[in-house]
Amino acid sequence: MGSQERSKKNFHLWKKAILHFLICFVMGFFTGFAPISKPMGFSSHVTVSPSTSYSPQPIELDVTVPTAGHNHSTETAVIEEEEEEEEEEEEQEEEKRDQREESNQAKLLILITPIGTRNKIRKAFVTRLANTLKLVAKPLLWIVVEQQFDDDFEVSEILRKTGIMYRHVVSKGNFTDVDSETDHHRNLALIHIEQHRLSGIVHFAGLSNVYDLSFFDEIRAIETFGTWPVAKVYANKEEVRIEGPVCDSSEVVGWHLKRMRNMTETRPPLIHISSFAFNSSILWDPERWGRTSSLQDASQNSVKFVRDEVVEEETRLKGLPAQGCSKVLLWVSEG
């Protein structure tokens, strides 16, 4: 009896174990087919492209962006568009400035320097002015006019060594008055410009002139006439006197000049010969400017004509520098 009871007890234990195993197996089997829950916080779907089992499978992930972030990106895009437009406008302005600068740099500067026979230290003055002109941007033409001497080649030798494009004009006249000789030399240079139809901006550069290099960039912007203040330095008197135009921006509205004793109110003011420049084309069309050609009339005073035109042609006259003509870029030693 005892052995039968033990066998029955063992049978029930095995039966219970097998039943427990089957229940666990069935639960595990069906749990394996149950869907996996989606993560919280964002939605996504994964698309697997068909391919062979040996190649890597690309995955496409679609993430839903919150609404607030979308508005921020739109505002950012608008700001970027505005910045791009501003950059384009700045680039256009820079291109225009570069074109103006290139146009001004392309203009030929024609500088006229008369040399008097009574100037005993002309070699020093010519050398000093030549060293200044070497630093000026090209193109530049230096016209030097002096009295002809058969045994004096001092100025010619200096000019040949400068490396500057120049023309050496000699005068055969005989003058006792310094001012008359100087005006004659200037007129010879203007006749030379007219004969050869030299195109550029003409300026009378005296030997006693001292320049700020930015001066030459300023006068290249002249269309017809230009004027600027000049500082006249009197070394003996230890005095500096400023003469020249009174400007509103680049518009000339008056003159700050010392009136001579014999000058009347109706006569145009006599401006300094180095305080203006002009486009050389006015020498090629004399009828337009109401004068006879210097080629046809040797007695025509071209210097006086140009000087008077500068004062009378207010609509064509440009004050330099453009910021109210308030900066001095040229000094003239008056002894």
Side-chain angles (χ1 to χ4, degrees), residues 211-241:
Y211 294 92
D212 185 307
L213 287 178
S214 62
F215 168 84
F216 300 99
D217 296 328
E218 292 285 347
I219 67 173
R220 273 197 166 102
I222 294 173
E223 295 297 332
T224 307
F225 298 103
T227 185
W228 50 84
V230 173
K232 301 173 72 173
V233 182
Y234 298 87
N236 296 334
K237 300 179 181 179
E238 297 183 355
E239 178 184 357
V240 178
R241 183 181 302 156

Side-chain angles (χ1 to χ4, degrees), residues 85-96:
E85 291 178 356
E86 291 177 357
E87 290 178 358
E88 289 179 359
E89 291 177 357
E90 290 178 357
E91 289 177 358
Q92 291 175 357
E93 289 296 328
E94 289 180 0
E95 288 179 1
K96 291 180 180 178

Side-chain angles (χ1 to χ4, degrees), residues 111-114 122-136 142 144 162 164 204-211 216:
L111 307 182
I112 298 174
T113 301
R122 57 182 180 172
K123 180 178 180 180
F125 281 125
V126 172
T127 302
R128 183 184 65 173
L129 185 54
N131 289 335
T132 299
L133 300 184
K134 286 180 183 180
L135 304 176
V136 180
W142 191 15
V144 179
T162 60
I164 303 171
F204 296 102
L207 286 179
S208 61
N209 292 7
V210 178
Y211 294 92
F216 300 99

